[in-house]
Amino acid sequence: MAGALSVLKRIYLTVYNWSVFLGWFQVLYLALKTLKDSGHEHVYDAVQKPLLYAQSAAVLETKFTIQLILFKILHGLVGLVRSPITATLPQIGSRLYLTWGILWSFPETQTHILVSSLVISWSITEIIRYSFFGTKEALGSAPSWLLWLRYSTFLLLYPTGITSEVGLIYAALPYCKESEKYCVRMPNKWNFSFDYSYAAILALGIYVPGSPHMYSYMLGQRKKALSKTKRE
Amino acid sequence: MKVAVITRSGKEFFKGGLELNDSATVADLQEAIYKRTKKYHPSRQRLTIPLQPGSKEKPTVLQSKKCLKEYSDGNTDKLTVVFKDLGTQVSYRTLFFWEYLGPLVIYPIFYYFPVYHFFGYRGERVIHPVQTYALYYWCFHYFKRIMETFFVHHFSHATSPLSNVFRNCAYYWTFGAYIAYYANHPLYTPVSDLQMKVGFGFGVVCQVANFYCHLLLRNLRSPNGSGGYQIPRGFLFNVVTCANYTTEIYQWLGFNIATQTVSGYIFMVVAASIMTNWALAKHRRLKRLFDGKEGRPKYPRRWVILPPFL
């Protein structure tokens, strides 16, 4: 019975990882094709649907991981989930913020050239990541070249991705201010206010310590992962 | 007695070790280490008994009042201890003073000074009575905390790492400013008179109760920080393990009912979750220590922190 359950789990995870892989592959393909045929202004339009789908998968994954952690804490079980939440949460957070909080909310940003670099950076990273896990679930292990890709492409794609994110947030600022979208003003009975532009500036501020932190975390992961295979 | 001091990686910290009296205490050892190194004040030394490699147990920490003999289990003339530097330390009193001073000073700045001109709000500011009472309530609260720090609390550890000063001050000072900004805002909307009275009234009652809880906790401990755990008893402690946290949270609830700001409620929720974390650990520890076996009392059934929820 336990054997059947773990086989089911493996099949499920294999299918899951490969379908999200396909989603991101679609994003990359459409992005490159549109870039070539029509120019960077049209990239967002082309990738919007598969991008939003692939993002939703990531959100569900995170929600599941969080619930798993909570379950383990509540039941006094201690164990490590695949990646520490402090490293994955900022990544998911920035993805969601850019996709929904910037691009979807302020269409004026969708024709920006940084959308292309953003989408290409994200999709290549995710294609490698999901194919890595998909292969591991299906075959038990992943080829060493895939492992190498997983822990090396970030060296270039983190800077390009982060630059795109920061650039797009910055580009959106005048539109945030002008449109008053998501802003709450005083007076109101809850004595609360929220300014989306200031929040965006705060988000930019977080990138200052956050980016070196994430990058050095990945460097550490790289060292661990690639030295382990050398020893085996 | 010869004491070998090693680092966590197994290396010898002093060549040749230290020579101490057979009747020496851990505190004497710490003094000797301090004399030798000049840098590591006893409060930043963490000395433990070395564990067997691969052992999953938590290492035994040497307690300063105990005799070294108690840790050498049989071998009375030789002892090995593992040294860890805890970093620069400050006394808890120092830490608490600085973190509470911020809110005490920052909040009145928003009340008394034309701060809002810098945010673009020109013109006269109408101050509602509730805003004045809120100022008194808030300042009294942090003044009380500082007084308790110096005259009431008996601390289990004498010191805390220096980095906590920056972390805790950031927390208190930022939230203090965040709440003060809205509570003293020119466009502030007050609640009804009744709601204000209920809020502040309830808050004051809880603050008094909180003070009494602190007095009870103080009497559980001796003043020279020898720590040790006791079952708290009396007043609300008969019902809730961390009644001091309970009253603290409810006192903020009173403040928020009276002043009604989202920022105030956010602060209360964050503070409550931090305290709940501590309360769960304390409750668990007390239940583990007072398990009813070997003549020890059994820890009674109690709420952890917030009846009727937890």
Side-chain angles (χ1 to χ4, degrees):
Chain A
M1 186 59 216
L5 223 54
S6 80
V7 167
L8 270 171
K9 177 177 155 220
R10 259 182 77 182
I11 295 176
Y12 170 75
L13 283 176
T14 308
V15 170
Y16 171 79
N17 279 302
W18 284 109
S19 45
V20 183
F21 164 88
L22 280 173
W24 281 107
F25 190 83
Q26 221 187 338
V27 170
L28 182 65
Y29 173 75
L30 288 169
L32 292 172
K33 184 164 183 291
T34 314
L35 209 53
K36 180 165 145 297
D37 293 341
S38 330
H40 69 86
E41 299 89 349
H42 303 273
V43 168
Y44 181 80
D45 275 335
V47 304
Q48 183 175 333
K49 272 230 284 290
L51 179 67
L52 262 36
Y53 157 73
Q55 284 284 59
S56 314
V59 174
L60 286 174
E61 214 180 298
T62 312
K63 271 165 70 171
F64 178 74
T65 310
I66 292 177
Q67 281 171 21
L68 194 64
I69 293 178
L70 285 175
F71 177 85
K72 284 189 169 179
I73 292 175
L74 251 55
H75 289 76
L77 305 165
V78 176
L80 294 162
V81 198
R82 209 164 60 201
S83 310
I85 207 74
T86 55
T88 53
L89 220 52
Q91 182 133 317
I92 299 287
S94 66
R95 293 276 177 89
L96 288 174
Y97 178 54
L98 262 298
T99 311
W100 294 100
I102 300 290
L103 292 174
W104 181 84
S105 304
F106 302 100
E108 304 91 330
T109 56
Q110 289 168 9
T111 50
H112 202 285
I113 191 166
L114 287 178
V115 174
S116 305
S117 52
L118 181 78
V119 157
I120 291 171
S121 305
W122 285 0
S123 53
I124 296 179
T125 307
E126 296 303 83
I127 284 170
I128 296 171
R129 201 166 141 260
Y130 282 103
S131 60
F132 176 83
F133 285 118
T135 313
K136 214 161 171 215
E137 288 298 330
L139 306 175
S141 68
S144 59
W145 56 264
L146 196 50
L147 177 78
W148 184 90
L149 276 177
R150 182 176 179 223
Y151 285 103
S152 305
T153 48
F154 81 89
L155 291 167
L156 177 67
L157 295 177
Y158 258 42
T160 54
I162 289 172
T163 307
S164 312
E165 290 176 19
V166 167
L168 283 171
I169 296 172
Y170 185 76
L173 280 178
Y175 306 115
C176 296
K177 213 168 161 65
E178 195 197 321
S179 70
E180 290 274 302
K181 207 168 191 184
Y182 308 130
C183 293
V184 176
R185 299 287 174 215
M186 302 245 298
N188 57 72
K189 74 179 243 198
W190 285 104
N191 294 306
F192 177 67
S193 73
F194 183 71
D195 186 302
Y196 200 70
S197 312
Y198 287 140
I201 293 172
L202 189 65
L204 285 176
I206 293 176
Y207 275 92
V208 174
S211 319
H213 172 78
M214 292 297 288
Y215 200 71
S216 51
Y217 168 75
M218 286 304 292
L219 283 172
Q221 291 298 96
R222 176 170 204 261
K223 205 159 159 218
K224 258 203 312 203
L226 296 186
S227 72
K228 202 158 77 155
T229 48
K230 265 210 192 91
R231 270 190 267 126
E232 278 165 10
Chain B
M1 149 175 321
K2 224 173 189 300
V3 181
V5 182
I6 59 172
T7 64
R8 279 171 299 156
S9 49
K11 286 211 310 254
E12 238 196 334
F13 199 55
F14 301 119
K15 275 245 258 294
L18 293 170
E19 190 65 52
L20 279 119
N21 235 314
D22 270 359
S23 56
T25 59
V26 174
D28 296 327
L29 173 61
Q30 288 176 322
E31 263 306 310
I33 293 176
Y34 182 42
K35 269 214 188 61
R36 243 328 240 286
T37 58
K38 305 246 194 309
K39 179 178 173 196
Y40 298 111
H41 187 273
S43 62
R44 51 191 286 188
Q45 297 175 26
R46 184 173 183 260
L47 303 173
T48 53
I49 300 299
L51 283 173
Q52 299 303 327
S55 162
K56 289 264 164 75
E57 284 172 32
K58 278 172 72 169
T60 321
V61 180
L62 270 59
Q63 302 192 310
S64 54
K65 292 261 155 43
K66 292 221 168 112
C67 253
L68 287 177
K69 265 211 295 248
E70 286 181 54
Y71 292 104
S72 56
D73 77 336
N75 203 347
T76 48
D77 56 347
K78 204 163 173 297
L79 176 67
T80 305
V81 296
V82 183
F83 170 89
K84 179 183 174 187
D85 175 26
L86 295 173
T88 316
Q89 300 282 304
V90 301
S91 75
Y92 258 106
R93 296 218 159 85
T94 309
L95 172 67
F96 280 14
F97 173 73
W98 285 107
E99 65 190 34
Y100 298 152
L101 189 68
L104 188 57
V105 168
I106 291 171
Y107 193 105
I109 292 178
F110 281 87
Y111 181 90
Y112 286 113
F113 292 104
V115 170
Y116 297 93
H117 287 186
F118 298 104
F119 290 101
Y121 294 96
R122 304 279 156 194
E124 277 306 304
R125 206 177 109 215
V126 170
I127 296 183
H128 305 274
V130 63
Q131 291 176 298
T132 309
Y133 301 139
L135 171 76
Y136 297 156
Y137 184 99
W138 176 277
C139 291
F140 170 74
H141 179 75
Y142 281 101
F143 174 73
K144 165 179 165 286
R145 285 222 206 175
I146 292 179
M147 290 295 107
E148 285 171 338
T149 302
F150 287 109
F151 300 112
V152 179
H153 295 317
H154 283 155
F155 296 102
S156 59
H157 301 285
T159 64
S160 177
L162 176 66
S163 53
N164 279 353
V165 175
F166 301 109
R167 181 193 68 172
N168 292 11
C169 285
Y171 168 75
Y172 277 103
W173 295 22
T174 309
F175 262 120
Y178 189 47
I179 297 171
Y181 173 82
Y182 288 105
N184 297 295
H185 202 281
L187 297 178
Y188 177 80
T189 310
V191 296
S192 74
D193 213 51
L194 176 65
Q195 186 172 330
M196 173 189 82
K197 290 185 174 134
V198 165
F200 284 136
F202 178 63
V204 168
V205 166
C206 291
Q207 286 211 62
V208 172
N210 176 261
F211 178 68
Y212 188 54
C213 287
H214 288 155
L215 284 178
L216 286 173
L217 286 175
R218 163 202 171 90
N219 292 328
L220 289 178
R221 259 189 198 140
S222 57
N224 48 8
S226 59
Y229 296 105
Q230 318 270 358
I231 299 179
R233 284 190 209 284
F235 193 45
L236 296 172
F237 286 107
N238 292 331
V239 182
V240 184
T241 298
C242 292
N244 49 325
Y245 295 155
T246 314
T247 47
E248 176 69 15
I249 294 167
Y250 282 131
Q251 125 354 86
W252 279 127
L253 180 62
F255 177 81
N256 286 324
I257 288 173
T259 53
Q260 196 153 298
T261 65
V262 168
S263 51
Y265 276 106
I266 293 176
F267 175 61
M268 184 186 77
V269 168
V270 172
S273 37
I274 293 174
M275 284 187 262
T276 303
N277 237 1
W278 295 339
L280 284 169
K282 180 168 183 183
H283 188 88
R284 228 177 275 134
R285 192 192 310 135
L286 286 172
K287 277 183 79 171
R288 213 179 2 104
L289 282 174
F290 297 102
D291 49 11
K293 305 189 181 129
E294 293 173 10
R296 287 187 290 265
K298 183 156 166 64
Y299 195 76
R301 268 198 73 168
R302 283 180 184 168
W303 296 104
V304 178
I305 179 173
L306 281 175
F309 305 110
L310 185 57

